[in-house]
Amino acid sequence: MTALANESAPEATGPYSDLDEALWLAWQAAVEKLPEGFRAEIIEGSIEVSPTGRYSHGRTANDLRDGLVLFLAGSDYAARQDMNVIDGRKVLIPDVFVAPRDTPEHVSEDGIGIKASAVAMVVEVVSPGRDDVSRDRVRKRRAYARAGIPVHLLIDDHDELGMVTLLTAPNPDQAVYDDEVRVPYGTTVTVPEGPAKGFTIGEEITGPGRAP
């Protein structure tokens, strides 16, 4: 599938390039045939297929979502999982994200997912394996910044002895986050803005700090 991505893509003749449209059609066909337990995303000009995370990955993502559900209760925002976030002809599936609770106006016209412009926060729990780590730490980080999502949280078992990275101030033109806070497991970090402002990520989600 990723062979559709190349350096000589034709220039856009409309809102999207011919390559973007080809990837979009290929992705739509692919998701209908994926076996259970797999998902497909369009990230930086490639279709990337990945399996459902391991138990520890799912536990961390679900514990974080459970915490956000309680934190956001009574507000106009909700914590979601297993849904497509659409940025033009790109498709991203965060482990957890925060978006308006009632979203009809933010759903893509084809109903495939929620528009990235409505998403206030995304969370990725980094998966093991060289390509998975690169996708979660590098490619998806750029994609979320390019989409202008205000808060991006990375929970990474495989960064040193476990690290939480909180990214804010997206710069879509440069596909980077200008502000970054990194803390080791066992240290609390607090979301500084948006509907989840004040929500803390600590041992209850990551587990305690790890001895070297």
Side-chain angles (χ1 to χ4, degrees):
M1 293 181 185
T2 56
L4 286 170
N6 59 66
E7 298 297 327
S8 57
E11 293 185 1
T13 56
Y16 309 110
S17 72
D18 288 349
L19 176 59
D20 285 337
E21 293 292 356
L23 284 166
W24 183 255
L25 293 173
W27 175 84
Q28 289 178 311
V31 294
E32 294 179 358
K33 298 178 180 178
L34 282 177
E36 186 175 354
F38 285 81
R39 62 185 187 178
E41 302 171 275
I42 303 177
I43 306 170
E44 296 196 330
S46 295
I47 297 174
E48 300 201 22
V49 177
S50 57
T52 301
R54 299 178 181 183
Y55 171 78
S56 60
H57 177 283
R59 182 196 61 205
T60 299
N62 279 281
D63 285 350
L64 190 140
R65 181 179 180 271
D66 290 347
L68 282 169
V69 167
L70 292 175
F71 186 86
L72 296 169
S75 77
D76 294 331
Y77 286 81
R80 305 296 192 196
Q81 283 181 307
D82 300 322
M83 294 173 65
N84 299 317
V85 172
I86 308 298
D87 179 30
R89 285 293 187 254
K90 308 295 187 292
V91 182
L92 300 160
I93 307 175
D95 288 318
V96 182
F97 68 91
V98 174
R101 190 175 300 277
D102 296 315
T103 60
E105 70 274 27
H106 300 303
V107 175
S108 60
E109 292 180 3
D110 48 21
I112 285 176
I114 186 169
K115 298 174 185 176
S117 57
V119 175
M121 175 178 168
V122 290
V123 180
E124 291 291 343
V125 180
V126 178
S127 299
R130 184 174 62 181
D131 191 59
D132 291 333
V133 166
S134 175
R135 180 189 66 242
D136 292 340
R137 285 185 192 164
V138 180
R139 297 192 295 280
K140 292 187 80 170
R141 174 172 171 162
R142 288 194 298 245
Y144 291 136
R146 194 175 287 115
I149 293 175
V151 179
H152 177 21
L153 178 70
L154 274 168
I155 300 176
D156 195 342
D157 273 0
H158 317 287
D159 185 353
E160 300 181 12
L161 297 175
M163 193 71 66
V164 177
T165 302
L166 183 63
L167 302 158
T168 55
N171 183 334
D173 291 338
Q174 300 296 321
V176 298
Y177 283 90
D178 288 335
D179 293 338
E180 175 178 336
V181 175
R182 283 167 50 83
V183 300
Y185 284 11
T187 304
T188 298
V189 65
T190 303
V191 177
E193 62 181 81
K197 181 179 180 179
F199 179 75
T200 59
I201 301 94
E203 291 188 13
E204 72 284 356
I205 293 170
T206 65
R210 301 173 180 173

